Amino acid sequence: MIDIKDAKHGMHVFYQREPMRTPEYGTIIRTNESDCSNPSRLMVFVLFLWDSTPKACRPDDLYWPPDYCAFDDVNPAGQKFSKPEEMPDAH
């Protein structure tokens, strides 16, 4: 999962919850961190591939892409990456 304090516009994330077999990849558009006083209602708004409007997601359901997805000059500055043990299917 990601920490909402690290969620910045343009960063890449993926969404995955049970029973999804494959994740949905997208780009962070914004968060409601500055507008929300209730921690359980904090949301990250993500524009997923093939969508035309961003969706509100709980930070607990989002993950940074794995570090092997890092290609030169493709990721935004400051992009965070998950370690293998942080991935949703890690055992």
Side-chain angles (χ1 to χ4, degrees):
M1 77 177 113
I2 71 169
D3 184 335
I4 198 165
K5 293 183 183 338
D6 295 329
K8 305 287 184 252
H9 175 81
M11 289 188 158
H12 304 163
V13 292
F14 72 90
Y15 173 88
Q16 189 165 18
R17 289 186 63 182
E18 292 292 332
M20 293 174 65
R21 298 180 102 184
T22 59
E24 267 191 275
Y25 289 90
T27 303
I28 296 173
I29 301 300
R30 67 180 183 88
T31 70
N32 69 345
E33 183 180 25
S34 62
D35 309 336
C36 184
S37 59
N38 183 342
S40 68
R41 294 185 186 245
L42 288 172
M43 295 288 168
V44 178
F45 294 83
V46 179
L47 182 61
F48 291 101
L49 297 175
W50 319 118
D51 286 348
S52 58
T53 57
K55 294 178 181 169
C57 302
R58 292 180 28 229
D60 292 355
D61 297 331
L62 295 172
Y63 298 87
W64 300 117
D67 62 359
Y68 57 78
C69 289
F71 298 106
D72 290 342
D73 300 322
V74 174
N75 292 302
Q79 175 67 51
K80 302 273 186 190
F81 296 98
S82 293
K83 298 178 180 118
E85 62 272 13
E86 297 169 336
M87 302 302 285
D89 59 355
H91 300 285

